[in-house]
Amino acid sequence: LNDLGFLWEEDNTSKFSKKRFDVIFIALQEYKSHFGNLMVPQSYVVPSDPRFTKSTWGLKLGARVNAIRSQGTFVANSPERREKLNALGFTWELPSELKRRKKDSDQLNEPSTTSSSSDEHRL
């Protein structure tokens, strides 16, 4: 059927995935335009700011970028999406210096495993 040019109907899941990827891609384009790179911090959320497309406001872009890099989310079965990201200059592997800083930051942000009661220090 593919050879005959049969058009397969997209299911709702793939339509939703395409729409989500398109919003992420727009946010990445705008991030690069404003910051000059695609090294999006994991905590970065697109601000509700007129410099950004309204449909991207509130998007946890840093988390999405991390999922794309580490799990292949949105690109695992889509060479076209991967190519779009490549053309934009997407960095698939973090430079080792950034990996080390991220690891150090993650360790600093972990809750302490030792308990100390703040009540002991009250007057």
Side-chain angles (χ1 to χ4, degrees):
L1 290 174
N2 288 335
D3 292 339
L4 296 173
F6 183 80
L7 296 176
W8 298 95
E9 186 176 315
E10 285 186 289
D11 63 10
N12 286 338
T13 302
S14 62
K15 286 179 185 176
F16 181 69
S17 177
K18 180 188 180 324
K19 185 174 182 171
R20 286 184 64 203
F21 177 79
D22 290 345
V23 170
I24 291 166
F25 190 76
I26 290 167
L28 284 170
Q29 289 175 309
E30 292 174 346
Y31 184 92
K32 184 176 183 179
S33 173
H34 293 293
F35 300 105
N37 64 58
L38 292 172
M39 303 307 291
V40 184
Q42 188 164 354
S43 61
Y44 182 80
V45 177
V46 178
S48 299
D49 180 321
R51 295 178 300 159
F52 294 90
T53 302
K54 196 169 191 171
S55 65
T56 67
W57 291 2
L59 174 68
K60 295 178 181 178
L61 185 61
R64 298 289 62 85
V65 166
N66 184 54
I68 290 169
R69 282 191 186 119
S70 64
Q71 301 165 10
T73 305
F74 298 108
V75 298
N77 297 316
S78 180
E80 301 83 21
R81 291 178 185 171
R82 184 176 285 275
E83 185 50 43
K84 279 183 78 169
L85 291 172
N86 285 338
L88 187 59
F90 190 79
T91 304
W92 295 97
E93 288 285 324
L94 289 175
S96 58
E97 175 63 24
L98 286 177
K99 283 182 184 178
R100 187 169 60 249
R101 275 193 264 155
K102 181 183 177 319
K103 183 179 177 185
D104 291 346
S105 173
D106 288 348
Q107 288 175 349
L108 289 174
N109 292 326
E110 287 180 3
S112 174
T113 55
T114 60
S115 63
S116 69
S117 171
S118 59
D119 291 334
E120 293 175 11
H121 302 290
R122 289 188 186 175
L123 296 177

